[in-house]
Amino acid sequence: MKKTLSILLSALLVISSFSPMTFAEPPTLPEVYGDLNITAAQGDGDEILPTLDEGEIWAGKDVVYEGDGEFEISLLAGGRNFTKTTTLPQEQYDVVLVLDRSGSMTKNQSTKFASMKTAAKGAVDSILAVPGNKVAVVSYADYSTTDITLTDASAIQSIKDTIDGLYSDGGTNIQNALLRTEALLNDRTQAEKERKSIVILMSDGEPTYYHTSLTNHTGNRVGDGIAPASKEEVWYTILQAQQLKNSISGLDIYTIGFGINTDKAEATLMPTAVNTIDIRPMDIYSKPVIGNGEYLQYRSWGSWYLETPIESRNETYVYGVPTFYTVSMNLPPVDWNTPTVGSPYSSEWRSWGTKYRYATGTRTGTAYEGVPITFSHQYWSDGSSLISSDLTALIKVFTDIINDITNVPPHQISEVENNLSNVIITDVVGDDFEIVNSAALDAMPGVTVSGNTVTWTISGADFYTILANETQLVESSLNKLTFSVKVKETIGTDLPTNKEASANFNVDVVNNPKYKNSTVEQTRDIPGTGLITLVAGQGTIIENHIFVGDGDRNTTTPHNGIIGSTRNFEPVEHAGYNYEITAGNSVMNFTRDQQVVTFTYTPIPKYKLTVNHVYSTGGDFIPPEVTTDYESGDPYSTAPASYDANDFTVSNSGNTSGSFGSEDIVVTYTYTPIEKFNLTVTHVYSTGGEF
């Protein structure tokens, strides 16, 4: 089995936990996408991971809509191994089981020791079921022992009885067990060394001993078997395992961490560049340094002495040329000499009866720096595992390792050369989409991006497969590359993310049962596409006409339009009303949000002109003249009624002419009769008589 190729690109390139290839339901309502609306869905893909025939390679594509016009695309691939069925002799194996019998295996009545024995005996049955295979058992606690040398199936019961007879006590000296295993495998004859060598190492914790030599463990054991592992205990164990790996040609070492719970235990059994960063030795170099500053003194019995440890202030440093040292486990501290001090001195002060001051001076020292050595110590093989203390999980790991020994990868090109084909997956993204952060994707190992084409080359050594006795692809058996594509802002219907996708690889057409008598070069189309529809976004403007005091005349009309388009709005002329726009404008642009334009109509005020005609003496008078429907600003003019100027004089109150303001106008004409007198002329005779 080969380890999954996982590519993690921050934010835009995500290797996420994989669920079965089911496609999300499309949104029930269109999404907002700039000035456009989106509906999106997935389609044309396998709904579940398939079962595979022996020797088959499968490739697929999972498409998930993430929203905002973006799809997450996962390119997927997996394969199923096949068992050897050729007439060539079965390859034979020497398998060494290296078993932990430290006290922690039975601590607090733990069942780990019993579970390990059960799983190990099952492994013995499986290994020795193949004629010619041999098994040895090495166990370890404070020291290791060779419990069974390499033995074939004729002594299978003796091997299992020996495993049953192991007892648990003491510390954890993995390093000594590794050296013993190296000696066991090297003691074989030259012909025996041509056989495939396998070591299966199991431990439930970190080492509690180490040896300073990798070739002789006599008299140089360090550690008490109890205290938590030091850096040296972990590192020397890793070095011993690496030496074992290098000393035996073609050796595979499988490690099983059984219920471990410390970082150092993990770093011991499955060391990587990451988990050994604080354990690896350092490349050390030193630089001479001069410190200039002020150093604390105290006064005692009439003399001044430097405070210890040295306390400084305002210190500056001058560094010299570095000198390189040999590799050391720990980075030394800065090594300072005693300062030479003198005047000037600071002001003195007293604390708890003692006088203090700072004296100016200089001191010399050595500064050390370093970086962890380069990591090149991965001794463990793919298939190693860190598991819980559950018996079922342990048996499965043992079973997987044993099965892996005789499985042939489906992408093996020929059994003779044992070379593995790369699997090349090409995905051409639809023309209406663009790859998100394509530069970062292109920079990933094995991935190239050219325009809208992503090419992912999975090296043959890294291509993950399931065992020949398995059939179902699952999450953990997938090679997976995930990236994102985003639709361009182009109106269209059912735009596909996928233009074309395929997988290409080579196979052994003589022995691979799936592709037997086929062509060496294989091409597999990859289905799976996401569909998206982009339509112009619609906006709504509500047009209101509101009549103050006459609600029955109000109207409301919605108008829909493409976002960004313009609509003009006009008032309706109504006699006797003034209008104004109380919301919105007469020209409106449609937007994503609903808008309102409101015309408010207010009745125009009407005024009354009253002209009164009255007699100053009372009595009958002319009825008032009343006219209405004058508006503010309208002119008016009045005149008295017809009259005989010989009989009346006329006066008025109010302005007899002008313009209306904001109130009614009253004009009163008063008619005053002109007072009349009689003139009598009498003609008389003084003597009387007719005249």
Side-chain angles (χ1 to χ4, degrees), residues 525-663:
D525 292 333
I526 299 176
T529 184
L531 300 177
I532 202 164
T533 296
L534 285 173
V535 298
Q538 295 286 312
T540 300
I541 300 175
I542 305 298
E543 180 183 4
N544 293 320
H545 293 265
I546 306 299
F547 291 83
V548 176
D550 190 1
D552 291 340
R553 301 180 66 180
N554 295 347
T555 60
T556 296
T557 306
H559 301 279
N560 295 321
I562 295 174
I563 292 173
S565 64
T566 299
R567 183 179 178 91
N568 295 331
F569 296 92
E570 299 290 342
V572 179
E573 296 292 342
H574 293 280
Y577 283 87
N578 288 326
Y579 74 88
E580 60 179 333
I581 300 178
T582 55
N585 299 286
S586 60
V587 179
M588 299 279 283
N589 291 326
F590 285 94
T591 65
R592 180 70 61 186
D593 297 325
Q594 180 174 288
Q595 301 178 88
V596 175
V597 58
T598 300
F599 293 92
T600 299
Y601 300 85
T602 304
I604 299 173
K606 300 296 183 180
Y607 300 101
K608 179 171 63 175
L609 173 63
T610 302
V611 182
N612 294 313
H613 302 273
V614 300
Y615 294 105
S616 61
T617 57
D620 294 336
F621 56 90
I622 302 172
E625 300 175 16
V626 180
T627 56
T628 59
D629 294 338
Y630 285 96
E631 298 178 6
S632 179
D634 284 351
Y636 71 91
S637 178
T638 64
S642 298
Y643 66 93
D644 187 341
N646 294 320
D647 294 329
F648 294 92
T649 61
V650 180
S651 61
N652 62 280
S653 62
N655 295 323
T656 60
S657 62
S659 297
F660 276 89
S662 58
E663 59 184 10

Side-chain angles (χ1 to χ4, degrees), residues 41-43 61 63-64 71 433 494-498 528-532:
Q42 287 71 245
K61 183 175 179 180
V63 183
V64 177
F71 289 87
F433 293 81
D494 290 340
L495 308 175
T497 60
N498 187 64
T529 184
L531 300 177
I532 202 164

Side-chain angles (χ1 to χ4, degrees), residues 93-115:
Y93 295 87
D94 289 338
V95 181
V96 182
L97 302 179
V98 183
L99 306 179
D100 187 349
R101 52 178 171 82
S102 61
S104 60
M105 292 292 288
T106 54
K107 186 177 181 181
N108 298 325
Q109 298 181 337
S110 170
T111 61
K112 287 191 290 186
F113 199 41
S115 296

